[in-house]
Amino acid sequence: MKVLEINGGKRLYGETTVQGAKNSALPCLAASLLGKRCVIHNCPNLTDTYACIKIIKMLGAKAELTGNTAIIESAEELKSYKIDDALMKEMRSSIIFLGAILSRCKQAEISYPGGCCIGARPIDMHLDAFRQMGVEIEESCGRIVCNIPKLKSCRIRLPFPSVGATENIMLLGAASNCEITIENAAKEPEIIDLLSFINSMGGNINMDDCGNIYIKGVEELGGTEYRIIPDRIATLTYLCGIAMCGGYGRLNSARYEHIKIPIEILEDMGCALEKGESYIEIKAPGRLKSPGLISTRPYPMFPTDAQAVFMAMATRSKGRSCFIENIFENRFRHIDELKKMRALVSARGNLAYVKGRRKLKNADMEAKDLRGGAALTVAALSAKGLSTVSGVEYIDRGYENIERSFGDLGAEIIRREM
Ligand code: UD1
């Protein structure tokens, strides 16, 4: 078992460079199946990235990750249109391969990705959209079998701006020769990154200011060399760590324009921030003020992925705060662990109330999901004494090397094999 061992209670001072965005890299890797030779820089080294590479190879394309550069050479013909159950389970985002496989093979067979620890995560919007595009879908015994007799142009209105469904429609539509409009599409920076990636391969996809996406499916896509945007959630995790521990830090390769609302909250809590074009500097106050009310919503509002780290900060800030989790139904699993540090948090349904206190007590905690694990790490860094966080495999799904990044910022944190 791997654990993070954290000797907390010290102010953080230092600088680190933010990794590439996981939620951009994974769909771009799937999109590379649609084209020729794709070189993707700034790909984070994560277990989910490795799972993507395995899926791409299993489908018959060449794929390798060297350092932070992935090179994918898609085959003339893919050798499989199925993804193994084991690989589907390894990574929830394997569902984004459905659009790419269908585009290439005109048929696909995958197992239902099922629920995961943060919620049920249904895929009905993905499948409804595919049906409108002309895909025939049969679902039985947890398998999804898709065939395309003929793709058709259409206008799809998503009932909710789902990130995954928007990506899947783009992946199927990009080289379809059809015109697809997505109304109420997701607008996350990672969606824009996927759009730019596909366009750099010769695609023709545009988004208007209202969040509608217009796909003019081309005949075929070529190769590209592309750099993934920095990870906004990793950026926020390190900013929250510095804010909570006190001190000063600089994050290189950070993009302020992707996290305007969380940054405003950090400023309201008393942090001083300098926002450069590709860096952010933060100076923490003596004691943080409470963040007040945080309600998770689709971009550009407050991201669900940052709820847990902001809650960790709230446990030590002055005053009370309230969190409303609107995206996933099981995203408060860090609360019981934070309570081990004597944090004053109570939850009812999708609401959590926090009463900030001056100090947390060091504790041994267990990460139950990726972002919750990052929140426990940040909380442990701010508490005097030795804490441990187990369940590191969750954290490794989204952070390239969390102990190195916090180490760069002056934290005493090591990974131990127990
Ligand atoms: C979501 C987040 C994304 C985050 C990612 C990983 C939002 C809007 N999306 O993306 O920012 O990076 O998790 O944590 O914040 N839904 C359905 N049916 C579907 C698809 C989705 O009911 O077919 C529901 C989900 O249950 C959820 C909401 O829509 O309540 C948002 O889902 P979606 O954006 O698709 O999830 P992800 O793509 O995983």
Side-chain angles (χ1 to χ4, degrees):
M1 183 179 70
K2 288 185 211 124
V3 298
L4 293 175
E5 208 174 82
I6 297 156
N7 189 13
K10 300 177 175 57
R11 285 178 188 275
L12 298 185
Y13 291 99
E15 89 180 73
T16 192
T17 299
V18 178
Q19 69 188 52
K22 158 183 132 92
N23 291 333
S24 236
L26 305 185
C28 288
L29 284 167
S32 63
L33 279 174
L34 305 176
K36 306 253 157 39
R37 186 173 190 269
C38 293
V39 180
I40 308 178
H41 299 294
N42 209 23
C43 233
N45 266 281
L46 305 169
T47 41
D48 277 8
T49 315
Y50 309 146
C52 266
I53 299 275
K54 269 197 237 167
I55 293 176
I56 293 172
K57 283 183 173 168
M58 199 203 71
L59 294 169
K62 286 191 195 145
E64 65 181 78
L65 180 68
T66 313
N68 290 110
T69 299
I71 301 180
I72 314 296
E73 283 188 59
S74 199
E76 276 291 308
E77 263 186 49
L78 294 185
K79 74 170 188 238
S80 174
Y81 57 89
K82 298 180 184 178
I83 302 182
D84 285 355
D85 287 9
L87 272 175
M88 277 305 288
K89 289 203 175 68
E90 217 171 282
M91 180 186 65
R92 172 60 176 66
S93 354
S94 46
I95 187 64
I96 46 164
F97 277 90
L98 186 56
I101 298 174
L102 271 174
S103 170
R104 287 299 313 272
C105 307
K106 311 300 168 222
Q107 58 182 334
E109 194 178 321
I110 61 169
S111 56
Y112 209 82
C116 82
C117 51
I118 60 171
R121 306 186 89 170
I123 54 162
D124 54 310
M125 286 184 221
H126 304 232
L127 301 184
D128 282 352
F130 283 162
R131 285 193 181 97
Q132 292 176 59
M133 294 169 82
V135 182
E136 289 176 356
I137 302 170
E138 275 178 43
E139 293 170 78
S140 76
C141 307
R143 301 285 299 167
I144 306 169
V145 182
C146 303
N147 275 293
I148 310 183
K150 189 170 167 28
L151 273 181
K152 53 184 188 219
S153 297
C154 60
R155 198 175 187 81
I156 298 162
R157 181 161 184 85
L158 292 177
F160 180 88
S162 154
V163 172
T166 304
E167 288 165 350
N168 249 331
I169 301 167
M170 285 161 69
L171 290 166
L172 178 54
S176 64
N177 263 328
C178 295
E179 292 196 10
I180 318 282
T181 300
I182 317 174
E183 292 176 1
N184 197 30
K187 304 183 229 11
E188 270 71 357
E190 295 78 19
I191 293 283
I192 312 284
D193 212 29
L194 176 63
L195 182 157
S196 310
F197 178 77
I198 293 174
N199 286 351
S200 75
M201 296 164 79
N204 186 350
I205 309 184
N206 292 291
M207 181 187 264
D208 68 16
D209 293 341
C210 310
N212 299 317
I213 290 182
Y214 304 94
I215 306 168
K216 277 203 170 127
V218 296
E219 179 89 35
E220 62 169 20
L221 292 166
T224 186
E225 184 158 357
Y226 192 84
R227 191 173 175 83
I228 297 292
I229 54 168
D231 194 303
R232 64 194 165 106
I233 306 300
T235 305
L236 285 171
T237 304
Y238 302 130
L239 289 176
C240 289
I242 298 162
M244 196 171 174
C245 294
Y248 164 87
R250 178 183 166 106
L251 305 184
N252 298 314
S253 282
R255 297 267 286 271
Y256 154 70
E257 73 270 21
H258 294 163
I259 43 174
K260 282 187 181 163
I261 288 198
I263 291 255
E264 262 173 38
I265 295 174
L266 280 171
E267 286 175 331
D268 289 347
M269 292 174 81
C271 298
L273 285 118
E274 189 183 310
K275 305 139 215 167
E277 238 173 55
S278 63
Y279 72 90
I280 300 176
E281 288 179 358
I282 181 168
K283 187 169 182 304
R287 187 169 181 207
L288 290 167
K289 288 185 233 158
S290 120
L293 175 69
I294 288 189
S295 178
T296 64
R297 298 260 177 224
Y299 190 83
M301 305 309 282
F302 191 91
T304 174
D305 284 348
Q307 174 256 109
V309 278
F310 272 71
M311 191 182 294
M313 262 196 316
T315 61
R316 282 199 56 195
S317 62
K318 192 166 185 282
R320 291 169 192 267
S321 47
C322 173
F323 289 76
I324 311 178
E325 174 53 60
N326 295 298
I327 309 295
F328 293 115
E329 63 275 23
N330 199 11
R331 232 179 176 180
F332 282 156
R333 288 159 57 100
H334 44 283
I335 292 181
D336 282 344
E337 300 302 304
L338 287 173
K339 282 183 182 167
K340 293 181 182 164
M341 303 187 82
R342 303 202 183 142
L344 300 172
V345 190
S346 60
R348 196 153 34 99
N350 70 334
L351 292 179
Y353 301 96
V354 183
K355 190 168 169 227
R357 59 190 314 171
R358 264 188 190 281
K359 285 185 180 162
L360 294 178
K361 166 104 180 61
N362 60 320
D364 296 324
M365 293 170 286
E366 184 188 348
K368 307 268 174 69
D369 62 58
L370 160 57
R371 304 302 171 186
L376 302 180
T377 307
V378 163
L381 284 169
S382 84
K384 199 161 187 288
L386 204 62
S387 293
T388 59
V389 178
S390 60
V392 181
E393 60 281 7
Y394 287 114
I395 301 176
D396 289 341
R397 298 181 87 147
Y399 297 86
E400 196 164 71
N401 188 331
I402 199 166
E403 65 273 27
R404 187 188 58 206
S405 303
F406 275 123
D408 288 348
L409 295 169
E412 272 186 49
I413 170 171
I414 53 168
R415 179 181 295 243
R416 251 193 219 296
E417 198 73 54
M418 303 286 269

